[in-house]
Amino acid sequence: ITARQFEFEPNNVTVNYNDSILLTVTSVDVGHGFALPDFGINKKVPAGESIELRFTADKTGEFRFFNSVYSGSGWKNMTGIFNVR
């Protein structure tokens, strides 16, 4: 997932239940955050860097992810959906 002011690309991710997930989040401009609270994730993504997140998709449904770090006036609009089917 690429993070930039003020969007995630892609902003919709679909996986299968019980998949082992390796999610790489890259910030291409300023520092951002990546939070997926339903899976216990809330990490900072430094400017120009990538982080790797490993977890199991052990719940089904539609879960919201968002930027948890102020990165400018539109930071609260940085959201997406993590679908587990």
Side-chain angles (χ1 to χ4, degrees):
I1 294 178
T2 301
R4 68 172 54 84
Q5 292 180 313
F6 295 102
E7 65 181 351
F8 288 110
E9 179 61 40
N11 65 357
N12 196 314
V13 176
T14 301
V15 300
N16 294 312
Y17 175 73
N18 241 10
D19 279 353
S20 293
I21 307 300
L22 170 59
L23 194 61
T24 302
V25 183
T26 302
S27 172
V28 296
D29 48 23
V30 300
H32 295 286
F34 184 86
L36 182 57
D38 292 288
F39 293 90
I41 296 169
N42 187 4
K43 299 290 185 182
K44 291 183 179 180
V45 187
E49 295 186 26
S50 296
I51 62 167
E52 289 187 345
L53 304 167
R54 293 180 186 273
F55 61 100
T56 300
D58 59 358
K59 304 171 195 176
T60 58
E62 199 174 88
F63 306 96
R64 183 174 170 263
F65 61 85
F66 58 92
N67 180 6
S68 57
V69 173
Y70 178 81
S71 59
S73 61
W75 74 283
K76 286 189 176 182
N77 297 325
M78 288 182 67
T79 63
I81 299 295
F82 186 77
N83 297 291
V84 183
R85 56 180 173 175

